[in-house]
Amino acid sequence: MQWTERDQREDHGPVRYGPPAPDPGLPVLPELAAVLAAAAARTRPEPSGGGRDLREAAGVYWARRGLHTAPEAIAAAPGAQPLLLALIAAHGGDVLMPRPCPASWTPQARLLGRPAYHVPTPAECGGIPDPFALLETVRRVRAEGGTPRLLLLSVVDDPTATVAPPELVREACEAAVDEGLHIVSDETWRDTLHRPHDTVLLSPAEMCPDDVTVLSDLAGALIPAGWPVAVARFPATERAAAFRARTLDVLTALGALVAGPVAPAAAHALREPEAVTLRMRQAAELHATVAAAAHRAVLTAGALARPPQAGRHLYADLGPLRSRLAARGVTDSMELEEYLTRRLGAPTPGGHRFGDELGALRVRLGTGPLLGSTREEEMESLTAVEPLKLPHVAQALSMFAGALDELR
């Protein structure tokens, strides 16, 4: 369905709330802080698209994941939002994306005046469109005079915290390519798998190498959100080289340049020294443990949620609790957001922010606020053998469960 003026008002709620705040994450890794401090005297930003050292480091990062990439096929920007905006602008045409999707995707298309169409996801996961629904949507949009050219997807998904099975990813990608769509695969959360040895993750770029641009926000697992850096990997084709050049033009026009002192820290993290990989593994295991406990609390309260498989969130459907919520004046996701944010004392964005229907009682629940309210508590959570037994984590989970339990 194409976005209308009414959809825009509903999807972003009252202006006073703004978009969902980014998770501040765990304390900064000292090794990365030292690299940043050593580069603090750098007064110039990186060139548009990132300097060679940063791009070479990104190539090393992707090579470890089976995607060999030359520095000339990489572009960097200060965060995923300006980079995605530039990618959408470079490709032109209408944009398709799954429902639900990351909160920033639809606004990016709307800023450019591009029609954005949401496609339902399969029952197994979020992040990718159902292949048959995708084909139906593309053909309907064309019949109505539209020009669908770009598909956004995320095999490791925010907001649903699911990982799409390779067979479904392949079907969705083949359907998109057959219809002439270029794919942007957001792989920000691929290094946050809760059970990496039991989860099969396959990038669309491995399946359709000439038709997929990979996007990764390093704040997903590598560096703090306050040091914004995102990188894009373009296919090794002449057509993709032209798209990259257009992307750099847009980044230049926006002044979207990576900060000089941040670039060396990002490059260091992308090369994944031992301290960085250890922190990634510790953080993923901690969030996995706490997310599993939060998921149990959601199900115990009578709500629904897919088991979280990655990231720092879970996506809950409180539809089964509709009558109890209505008694508290909560009848849609906007009111649910207000209610749970107030009740939990932490930002709890409703599903309308992710392209879901306003009337659906869905909400994204973050695990970050359950890890502690101070840096000392967060570090204790990170290094604990049994974090659920820590008093501050146990208390936070008890309050979380209580807020849901009172709706039974």
Side-chain angles (χ1 to χ4, degrees):
M1 181 175 68
Q2 185 173 354
W3 275 63
T4 65
E5 222 174 277
R6 177 174 178 272
D7 293 323
Q8 293 171 16
R9 289 197 301 272
E10 289 179 349
D11 248 26
H12 291 277
V15 173
R16 65 184 181 273
Y17 283 101
D23 185 341
L26 292 163
V28 177
L29 184 65
E31 183 173 312
L32 289 182
V35 175
L36 182 73
R42 292 183 61 176
T43 58
R44 297 190 179 202
E46 292 279 284
S48 181
R52 187 169 186 88
D53 185 61
L54 178 56
R55 290 183 286 112
E56 285 180 344
V60 170
Y61 168 86
W62 272 310
R64 287 198 185 96
R65 288 150 182 83
L67 297 172
H68 296 280
T69 313
E72 293 74 23
I74 294 171
Q81 284 80 10
L83 187 50
L84 180 60
L85 184 76
L87 287 170
I88 295 173
H91 281 83
D94 301 346
V95 184
L96 288 85
M97 58 190 74
R99 181 191 294 272
C101 64
S104 65
W105 284 9
T106 303
Q108 300 295 83
R110 191 168 65 243
L111 279 170
L112 293 167
R114 301 286 172 76
Y117 298 89
H118 287 108
V119 184
T121 55
E124 295 90 335
C125 62
I128 63 169
D130 177 88
F132 296 104
L134 175 64
L135 291 173
E136 181 183 341
T137 302
V138 169
R139 290 162 187 172
R140 176 174 55 80
V141 170
R142 286 195 177 126
E144 295 171 355
T147 55
R149 289 183 184 165
L150 196 63
L151 170 65
L152 310 183
L153 53 76
S154 54
V155 289
V156 183
D157 185 43
D158 168 26
T160 65
T162 59
V163 179
E167 60 273 15
L168 283 176
V169 177
R170 182 179 296 280
E171 290 174 13
C173 290
E174 289 177 348
V177 171
D178 286 347
E179 291 296 327
L181 303 181
H182 187 77
I183 299 166
V184 173
S185 174
D186 186 337
E187 299 180 11
T188 293
W189 300 101
R190 69 170 297 154
D191 297 315
T192 67
L193 297 182
H194 292 177
R195 297 178 181 81
H197 300 297
D198 301 327
T199 306
V200 180
L201 169 61
L202 201 59
S203 170
E206 297 178 72
M207 302 176 180
C208 307
D210 294 341
D211 299 288
V212 177
T213 297
V214 179
L215 171 69
S216 181
D217 187 339
L218 304 194
L222 289 169
I223 62 175
W227 306 356
V229 180
V231 288
R233 175 195 182 272
F234 293 81
T237 66
E238 289 186 13
R239 188 175 178 217
F243 285 135
R244 179 180 180 272
R246 273 183 253 168
T247 300
L248 296 186
D249 287 343
V250 177
L251 292 174
T252 301
L254 293 173
L257 309 176
V258 176
V262 172
H268 185 79
L270 282 163
R271 290 190 170 95
E272 299 178 286
E274 185 178 354
V276 171
T277 55
L278 176 61
R279 169 59 70 87
M280 282 197 300
R281 187 164 61 249
Q282 287 179 321
E285 290 173 355
L286 172 60
H287 282 287
T289 300
V290 176
H295 182 250
R296 289 193 294 272
V298 168
L299 299 185
T300 299
L304 305 172
R306 292 186 181 104
Q309 297 174 281
R312 308 168 189 153
H313 316 104
L314 62 154
Y315 198 59
D317 183 352
L318 275 62
L321 309 177
R322 183 175 293 275
S323 60
R324 296 298 297 270
L325 284 165
R328 290 166 168 78
V330 176
T331 60
D332 60 31
S333 65
M334 199 181 297
E335 293 168 346
L336 180 62
E337 174 183 294
E338 294 183 25
Y339 174 80
L340 285 178
T341 295
R342 187 169 57 247
R343 184 66 181 81
L344 296 174
T348 310
H352 60 286
R353 301 208 182 262
F354 309 103
D356 238 332
E357 298 88 349
L358 181 65
L361 294 174
R362 299 191 184 108
V363 66
R364 190 185 71 178
L365 301 164
T367 52
L370 304 174
L371 306 182
S373 57
T374 67
R375 290 298 170 186
E376 291 74 21
E377 288 181 347
E378 290 171 338
M379 280 303 298
E380 190 178 5
S381 299
L382 187 65
T383 56
V385 176
E386 297 183 279
L388 298 185
K389 292 185 177 180
L390 294 174
H392 61 271
V393 175
Q395 182 180 16
L397 279 167
S398 178
M399 292 177 60
F400 176 89
L404 296 172
D405 227 28
E406 66 188 22
L407 299 173
R408 294 178 66 184

